[in-house]
């Protein structure tokens, strides 16, 4: 018996959550036009503008953290929608969740190519890392967390 029991929302609500997160990622990925690198210094000096260029720990740019967290969120809601209501074993479903989330990220990177945005393989890598972290955590905690519908 799992030590933590979480409520399982209705199918409609769970899939609506997936749709909302996927649409938000799509909109922000395709609608935002980044400031060219040569203009960033001047742009960031404007009053009321906050520019985060370096992420926590100085390891990678803030942009890569945003990508990682966005796809971690997508993976979490996808797993909640598809894996949580499933009976064990969940490995195959969790694998498909990862494949769908990574594929969605790659598709969006390709959709950015003809726009003012640029195709960045490191964005795809950050997306994949976010997916892998959540999928791994889901797998590691699967015996400790249970879902019950009411």
């Amino acid at each position: 018996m799992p030590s933590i029991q979480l409520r399982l929302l209705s199918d409609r609500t769970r899939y609506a959550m997936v749709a909302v997160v996927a649409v938000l990622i799509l909109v922000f990925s395709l609608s935002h036009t980044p400031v060219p690198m040569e203009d960033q210094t001047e742009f960031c000096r404007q009053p009321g503008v906050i520019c985060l260029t370096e992420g926590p720990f100085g390891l990678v740019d803030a942009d890569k953290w945003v990508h990682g967290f966005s796809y971690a969120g997508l993976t979490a809601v996808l797993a909640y929608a598809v894996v949580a209501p499933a009976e064990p074993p969940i490995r195959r479903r969790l694998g498909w969740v990862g494949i769908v989330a990574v594929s969605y990220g790659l598709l969006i990177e390709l959709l950015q190519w003809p726009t003012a945005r640029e195709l960045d393989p490191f964005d795809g890598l950050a997306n994949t890392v976010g997916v892998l972290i959540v999928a791994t955590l889901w797998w590691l905690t699967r015996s400790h967390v249970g879902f019950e519908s009411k």
Side-chain angles (χ1 to χ4, degrees), residues 25-55:
I25 290 172
L26 179 69
V27 168
F28 282 108
S29 295
L30 297 181
S31 66
H32 170 71
T33 304
V35 176
M37 194 61 95
E38 58 273 4
D39 298 336
Q40 278 188 359
T41 305
E42 188 62 37
F43 177 77
C44 292
R45 290 186 183 149
Q46 295 178 12
V49 173
I50 298 173
C51 291
L52 297 175
T53 56
E54 192 174 295

Side-chain angles (χ1 to χ4, degrees), residues 73-91:
L74 178 62
T75 305
V77 295
L78 264 170
Y80 180 63
V82 176
V83 179
E87 294 293 323
I90 62 166
R91 183 177 14 173

Side-chain angles (χ1 to χ4, degrees), residues 37-133:
M37 194 61 95
E38 58 273 4
D39 298 336
Q40 278 188 359
T41 305
E42 188 62 37
F43 177 77
C44 292
R45 290 186 183 149
Q46 295 178 12
V49 173
I50 298 173
C51 291
L52 297 175
T53 56
E54 192 174 295
F57 314 114
L59 300 174
V60 294
D61 295 343
D63 170 59
K64 302 307 178 253
W65 285 90
V66 171
H67 277 268
F69 278 110
S70 297
Y71 284 86
L74 178 62
T75 305
V77 295
L78 264 170
Y80 180 63
V82 176
V83 179
E87 294 293 323
I90 62 166
R91 183 177 14 173
R92 181 169 286 164
R93 283 182 184 238
L94 192 56
W96 277 110
V97 163
I99 290 169
V100 167
V102 169
S103 299
Y104 187 70
L106 293 174
L107 174 66
I108 288 181
E109 285 300 315
L110 291 174
L111 289 173
Q112 288 178 350
W113 187 29
T115 67
R117 304 287 307 248
E118 59 186 49
L119 180 67
D120 185 353
F122 292 108
D123 287 349
L125 179 61
N127 299 346
T128 303
V129 168
V131 169
L132 290 174
I133 288 172

